[in-house]
Amino acid sequence: MTHGTLLRQITDYANRADPYPLYAELRKTPVLHEEDGPYVVSTYWEIRGLLHDPRISSDARNLSPAAARLSPEVAGATEEEEGSGLPPSFLRLDPPEHDRLRRMAMTPFGPPHTPRRIHEMRGELTRIVADLIDGFGDRTRIDLVDSFSYPFPVTVICRLLGIPREDETRFHTWADTIAASLDPDPSADPVERRRVAQGARTELGMYLSGLIEERRRTPGDDLLSALAAGHGPDGQMSHLEVLTTAALLLIAGHETTVNLITNGMLTLLRNPPVLQRLRDEPGLAVPLVEELLRFEPPVQLLPQRTTLADIEIAGTTVPKGASLWLILASGNRDPRRFADPDRFDPDRPDIQHLGFGSGIHSCFGAPLARLEAQIALAELARRLEGPHLVEDPPPYRRNAVLRGPRHLNIAFDRLVG
Amino acid sequence: MPADGTLERLRREGRIVIVGASLAGLRAAETLRVEGFTGSLTLIGDEPAEPYDRPPLSKQVLLGKAAADRTTLPRRREIDATWRLGVAATGLDMAARTVRLADGDEVEYDRLLITTGVRARPWPHELEAELDGVFVLRDRDDAARLYARLRAGPRRVVVIGAGFTGSEIASACRERGLPVTVVERGAAPLVGALGAVVGEVAAALQREHGVDLRCGAMVTRLEGDSAGRLCRAHLADGETVDTDVAVVALGATRNTEWLAGSGLGAGPRGIACDAGCRAFDASGIVTDDIFAAGDVARSPHPLFGYQFLSLEHWGNAVAQAEIAAHNMIHASADRRPHLNVPAFWSSQFGVNIKSVGVPPMGEQLLIAQGALAERRFTGVYGYQGRVIAAVTFDQTKWLDFYQRQIESAAPFPPAFTTVDRRAENLHPVPAGFPDPSQPTHGPTVTVSGYSPTDRRITFTPARV
Ligand SMILES: Cc1cc2nc3c(=O)[nH]c(=O)nc-3n(C[C@H](O)[C@H](O)[C@H](O)COP(=O)(O)OP(=O)(O)OC[C@H]3O[C@@H](n4cnc5c(N)ncnc54)[C@H](O)[C@@H]3O)c2cc1C
């Protein structure tokens, strides 16, 4: 197998259901560079090193013109988000701008300033999960994605941002449309798809914009109010910055959590003894979700990094301005780091996975994503009696970056109360 | 493994004694069990409490966010040991392989690990040190007493010494709204640990938070009232500060007195041991059955010119304890060196400070990212043309990278661009240590590998 085809195979939809053998192949060349292509890094320690390397930039403006030309190839997310007309979120900025914006967003969201916001959502998350499961009604066969994994995180984001209940349905529709556009369906007309998504994006933007103004005048105790009213050493976010940050929370938070939960249930159904254990000891959800983030991370690779200098990685010199792809999911299964890496083992000690990245861009929403997945999986395990997969593997989404099943049809005997 | 099976027997039914039942002692005990030691394990500690964590004592505890008796260290696993707590070891007989205890008991060992740490250096004038209101801060009781006094709302607190502990105490006092005077002999707080350039940032930080900071100053006398209560501190320049609390934060003394006359190479600077944690005897010969780890140990570090480093760092205590435990029950061919790059953290005045490497060896400093003025930066220390240490103020996440730079003896100043490099920081400046140490120039040593099993050192000829 030549290297050129290897990278193409990874982005090839045909291998979406199980890219792991390809990653194993990839790790034989820790830094893969096919002609004109990006430099692809697939081993744990090298990826970790790069995530903490100040010579690596997340700002696309630092790509060399040649590398920039090939970056549209980067799967869906970037392109579409950039097409939103909003300035880049802190995800695509370097320090000091990145630090300032992330800090301002973090202040009302999490530790050290607001350590309790996420923790205090536990009750609410549990209720949302219960309502969604109750919503399965008499059915004993469902598509977990449509009936559960999709609606759950959007509802959570709505509550967190402080979207009024009566607007939640509208919000769901926009979110779904935008999410769908990140995941191009080859059979649909791309022009039409783009138009619909753009429409949803504009409407959502206008809606949020109005809401931000309102919250600035009369703040509540929700996140949007805190972002809009923010007071701290860094001052206030501009209107546009609040908007960009809210959009980031919505899209990045949403897309990944759907996959985390769906991948989680799929993995559990493929490992019945673990599912049984989770049912008996719900506390297992905590280490289980960590192992899941290692074993089936929702973000498989980070394609938006570039070098600010010529740097050496595992013996290869990567020139300044090159496009770097960090294959997180491959690093997570690097046998040099994890013993028996292809085994799903929630009892694994020392599990510092790359599922949330690492370094200054490490996932902002991690505490929320963890809690959502823990509660969702523990409740599904408890309430579905005799669950099993209807098809394995399930149909996957197109997206190679944000990887997960598009549908997960499962059947069960009955719901317990 | 030796053919005669001695080692096998030691692992199965040997007697291991650990003196000093705190961080290093506990982590070593756990590691011994993890690595399959099934013999008898005895932990001897002069403090009555189970092993607890000290860093919170000068931070959360003084703020009332954690009770002093609630910092017990979490256990990594069951260790099945005999605990002799509240009783000090008073002597060592190397020939008979026994440790003497304060209660008259003797404990026999096949392997001994010493982790007796350090204690706070007291105020040198004994009578003044006994005044009500004069404190040190090393153990739980110290912290509980000081906390109670701070909560009672003293008029003012005088902190003597602006190293990490003193600065953290001052920070906690300010956060409680108490007036604080910090008296530091050096030119700036933290100057011994991080140099004058970074020290100036710490000084500005303290003043900004309302600390009455006196640098280049010395407390010469603590004055008490007729009831034996502290009422005033006298400074060398003739000034006085009225106060009812003084915290003496003048560094630490190693707990090695109990080893006097034992024939072990132990003294005021600690217990000298090799990179594998085996202690030297008084004649400089390495022992094979006595090991040392943590604050009390002093060992040569290949990356830092083989200088005998003694470190009072939490992470060092853990890493060294693990190496010592491993080496105690392995044959020489399977032993591992303690090659960890020193790392230290502190939090004060709302800033998270972290360092890797040995900053005091640095001759020059380059602010590689961020800006001193913003109190958010990464400083890189250079020594003879290589990177020797780094410090971050609120930029912890870059430290891993600089640690690799230290391990690979990367050239200084760094030749590359990084994110957030400011125009005003293009060139290194003198780091400003009061007394630059001048270790001998030798070959360059680099450390490679990540897990303890594959960490290796490599020699390269000296760079010109
Ligand atoms: C207030 C404070 C704040 C700190 N903050 C930080 C920080 O922020 N970051 C950081 O990296 N490090 C910090 N440290 C340092 C860190 O706590 C030490 O490096 C660590 O505790 C060392 O562990 P050890 O087990 O080697 O020694 P110790 O914790 O000192 O333990 C030694 C034990 O041995 C006992 N002992 C002594 N002599 C005898 C004897 N003869 N017989 C029996 N027992 C004996 C002692 O009483 C003690 O219990 C701080 C320390 C203090 C005191």
Side-chain angles (χ1 to χ4, degrees):
Chain A
M1 188 174 335
T2 74
H3 289 153
T5 61
L6 193 51
L7 185 57
R8 209 157 302 128
Q9 276 182 293
I10 284 168
T11 46
D12 182 353
Y13 180 65
N15 292 308
R16 195 71 71 249
D18 186 13
Y20 296 102
L22 291 170
Y23 294 157
E25 189 65 30
L26 198 56
R27 282 191 300 270
K28 292 180 183 163
T29 317
V31 182
L32 175 82
H33 182 224
E34 79 178 63
E35 225 172 312
D36 286 349
Y39 287 78
V40 180
V41 185
S42 53
T43 45
Y44 181 90
W45 293 113
E46 281 67 29
I47 294 172
R48 227 193 109 81
L50 291 168
L51 289 170
H52 290 260
D53 192 325
R55 299 168 301 178
I56 304 301
S57 166
S58 295
D59 189 332
R61 289 169 294 191
N62 289 314
L63 283 167
S64 71
R69 245 176 288 120
L70 80 239
S71 75
E73 181 189 298
V74 168
T78 337
E79 216 188 316
E80 298 293 337
E81 198 190 309
E82 274 159 12
S84 66
L86 291 173
S89 68
F90 56 78
L91 201 63
R92 309 210 191 298
L93 290 174
D94 290 337
E97 296 81 10
H98 162 274
D99 294 2
R100 183 181 63 88
L101 286 170
R102 180 170 163 130
R103 212 155 49 223
M104 282 197 289
M106 205 63 193
T107 305
F109 183 72
H113 305 282
T114 321
R116 307 204 57 83
R117 184 181 295 270
I118 299 308
H119 184 76
E120 278 164 2
M121 289 187 76
R122 182 176 277 277
E124 177 129 35
L125 296 185
T126 309
R127 274 191 301 281
I128 299 171
V129 164
D131 287 349
L132 285 169
I133 297 179
D134 290 341
F136 299 166
D138 298 334
R139 286 178 293 164
T140 53
R141 201 181 148 136
I142 53 158
D143 174 4
L144 188 79
V145 177
D146 284 343
S147 315
F148 187 85
S149 316
Y150 250 105
F152 178 41
V154 195
T155 309
V156 174
I157 283 287
C158 283
R159 305 283 161 88
L160 187 67
L161 288 176
I163 307 294
R165 293 291 160 95
E166 62 271 23
D167 296 339
E168 277 190 16
T169 341
R170 284 206 288 162
F171 199 86
H172 273 244
T173 315
W174 292 322
D176 287 351
T177 313
I178 296 170
S181 78
L182 295 181
D183 206 23
D185 170 1
S187 65
D189 171 9
V191 179
E192 174 61 8
R193 190 171 50 84
R194 207 174 265 273
R195 198 187 58 76
V196 172
Q198 196 56 51
R201 216 173 266 122
T202 310
E203 280 180 47
L204 175 68
M206 277 163 49
Y207 172 80
L208 280 175
S209 213
L211 200 59
I212 292 164
E213 277 312 318
E214 205 176 298
R215 291 302 149 79
R216 228 190 260 285
R217 280 193 302 273
T218 38
D221 60 2
D222 53 88
L223 189 60
L224 207 55
S225 299
L227 290 177
H231 42 264
D234 292 301
Q236 265 196 6
M237 279 191 184
S238 69
H239 182 83
L240 213 52
E241 285 168 348
V242 179
L243 200 56
T244 312
T245 306
L248 175 68
L249 287 180
L250 172 68
I251 295 172
H254 181 192
E255 280 312 292
T256 47
T257 313
V258 176
N259 290 334
L260 182 57
I261 294 170
T262 314
N263 288 335
M265 202 55 196
L266 175 62
T267 305
L268 285 172
L269 292 169
R270 284 173 176 169
N271 293 271
V274 182
L275 181 62
Q276 185 57 45
R277 265 184 74 194
L278 179 60
R279 189 186 304 242
D280 299 338
E281 34 169 326
L284 183 68
V286 175
L288 184 142
V289 166
E290 290 318 298
E291 172 69 346
L292 194 56
L293 284 158
R294 182 193 72 82
F295 190 74
E296 288 275 24
V299 180
Q300 295 266 303
L301 55 124
L302 299 175
Q304 298 91 9
R305 295 290 203 276
T306 178
T307 39
L308 293 178
D310 293 357
I311 66 169
E312 201 210 287
I313 308 168
T316 302
T317 300
V318 179
K320 176 177 170 172
S323 167
L324 263 187
W325 286 23
L326 309 181
I327 317 288
L328 303 177
S330 168
N332 274 351
R333 295 213 188 185
D334 185 343
R336 279 167 60 226
R337 175 60 182 82
F338 297 103
D340 201 0
D342 291 323
R343 205 166 79 87
F344 180 72
D345 174 12
D347 299 318
R348 195 177 279 281
D350 181 28
I351 176 180
Q352 271 201 30
H353 57 75
L354 300 170
F356 285 133
S358 189
I360 63 163
H361 290 282
S362 72
C363 175
F364 173 87
L368 179 59
R370 286 195 161 101
L371 195 60
E372 286 179 293
Q374 288 160 9
I375 293 175
L377 294 176
E379 274 301 284
L380 287 170
R382 185 179 73 81
R383 296 198 54 192
L384 303 184
E385 212 170 83
H388 54 271
L389 286 171
V390 173
E391 61 184 323
D392 190 5
Y396 271 78
R397 306 172 47 185
R398 313 287 318 170
N399 205 310
V401 175
L402 306 168
R403 172 179 165 269
R406 174 62 195 93
H407 299 285
L408 189 70
N409 289 308
I410 61 175
F412 48 93
D413 303 336
R414 62 184 194 99
L415 273 189
V416 296
Chain B
M1 209 142 288
D4 65 2
T6 337
L7 194 62
E8 198 33 59
R9 203 156 48 241
L10 171 79
R11 298 170 64 104
R12 209 173 47 242
E13 55 200 34
R15 297 159 302 177
I16 293 185
V17 171
I18 300 176
V19 181
S22 185
L23 179 62
L26 175 65
R27 293 296 178 242
E30 289 166 342
T31 308
L32 285 167
R33 291 303 191 207
V34 170
E35 299 209 0
F37 173 68
T38 53
S40 86
L41 189 54
T42 306
L43 282 105
I44 299 162
D46 60 1
E47 294 189 76
E50 281 190 31
Y52 60 86
D53 213 12
R54 293 175 207 274
L57 299 182
S58 54
K59 306 175 182 81
Q60 292 89 330
V61 170
L62 296 186
L63 292 172
K65 290 181 181 166
D69 57 2
R70 285 295 175 79
T71 71
T72 304
L73 281 163
R75 298 288 174 89
R76 289 178 178 170
R77 57 168 288 140
E78 261 316 308
I79 53 175
D80 181 24
T82 306
W83 293 84
R84 307 283 303 255
L85 296 178
V87 54
T90 52
L92 166 68
D93 186 334
M94 288 172 63
R97 293 189 167 188
T98 54
V99 173
R100 265 192 312 283
L101 303 189
D103 62 8
D105 250 3
E106 287 195 350
V107 188
E108 300 183 323
Y109 64 81
D110 300 308
R111 292 272 190 279
L112 171 67
L113 175 63
I114 303 175
T115 59
T116 44
V118 302
R119 62 181 181 278
R121 186 171 293 144
W123 184 243
H125 309 277
E126 233 171 272
L127 288 177
E128 294 176 18
E130 276 163 21
L131 290 171
D132 179 31
V134 179
F135 296 84
V136 293
L137 181 52
R138 179 75 199 174
D139 62 30
R140 249 185 196 181
D141 293 345
D142 297 336
R145 278 194 296 264
L146 180 57
Y147 170 66
R149 191 60 68 92
L150 296 184
R151 206 178 43 172
R155 284 178 295 168
R156 173 168 293 277
V157 177
V158 170
V159 177
I160 309 174
F164 281 108
T165 308
S167 299
E168 286 178 4
I169 294 166
S171 168
C173 289
R174 287 308 299 144
E175 204 169 325
R176 303 191 66 100
L178 297 171
V180 181
T181 299
V182 171
V183 185
E184 163 60 44
R185 192 204 308 238
L190 313 182
V191 69
L194 300 174
V197 178
V198 177
E200 278 314 315
V201 180
L205 202 58
Q206 296 209 0
R207 294 208 164 98
E208 222 167 76
H209 283 80
V211 173
D212 168 30
L213 175 65
R214 319 270 185 103
C215 294
M218 253 172 86
V219 173
T220 50
R221 185 159 75 87
L222 294 174
E223 181 188 336
D225 63 14
S226 54
R229 285 182 308 233
L230 173 70
C231 62
R232 196 164 296 121
H234 294 259
L235 273 55
D237 62 4
E239 288 216 33
T240 60
V241 182
D242 289 346
T243 186
D244 31 23
V245 175
V247 190
V248 180
L250 294 173
T253 309
R254 277 151 180 87
N255 290 319
T256 51
E257 291 80 357
W258 67 281
L259 294 163
S262 66
L264 199 68
R269 296 170 65 197
I271 300 173
C273 53
D274 72 1
C277 304
R278 291 180 300 177
F280 287 107
D281 73 13
S283 57
I285 298 176
V286 82
T287 59
D288 216 24
D289 50 358
I290 305 180
F291 293 71
D295 284 9
V296 77
R298 204 160 69 86
S299 65
H301 201 305
L303 263 185
F304 303 98
Y306 293 95
Q307 282 192 72
F308 276 74
L309 297 180
S310 54
L311 300 163
E312 292 170 37
H313 298 176
W314 193 96
N316 180 68
V318 173
Q320 205 169 20
E322 288 168 355
I323 294 287
H326 172 88
N327 290 344
M328 286 172 90
I329 52 171
H330 282 86
S332 52
D334 300 323
R335 286 186 183 143
R336 295 175 187 159
H338 174 54
L339 293 177
N340 266 52
V341 175
F344 183 86
W345 88 94
S346 169
S347 79
Q348 45 187 279
F349 303 102
V351 176
N352 185 5
I353 302 175
K354 221 172 157 180
S355 76
V356 291
V358 185
M361 277 180 81
E363 299 156 339
Q364 290 190 302
L365 175 69
L366 178 81
I367 302 307
Q369 293 168 240
L372 292 169
E374 291 167 21
R375 313 200 191 324
R376 200 182 300 278
F377 61 87
T378 301
V380 183
Y381 294 84
Y383 167 70
Q384 295 186 345
R386 53 174 281 210
V387 176
I388 201 82
V391 63
T392 55
F393 272 46
D394 276 348
Q395 284 198 347
T396 317
K397 287 184 172 157
W398 298 114
L399 268 189
D400 269 15
F401 171 78
Y402 291 101
Q403 177 171 334
R404 294 306 285 176
Q405 295 273 300
I406 297 165
E407 287 173 348
S408 56
F412 181 92
F416 46 77
T417 331
T418 59
V419 296
D420 205 9
R421 179 79 175 267
R422 309 293 174 88
E424 70 269 25
N425 294 328
L426 292 181
H427 304 288
V429 296
F433 284 98
D435 172 30
S437 48
Q438 292 291 332
T440 53
H441 193 64
T444 306
V445 169
T446 60
V447 174
S448 62
Y450 294 93
S451 70
T453 42
D454 58 33
R455 281 182 68 86
R456 294 277 179 279
I457 61 165
T458 317
F459 280 94
T460 46
R463 284 202 187 90
V464 195

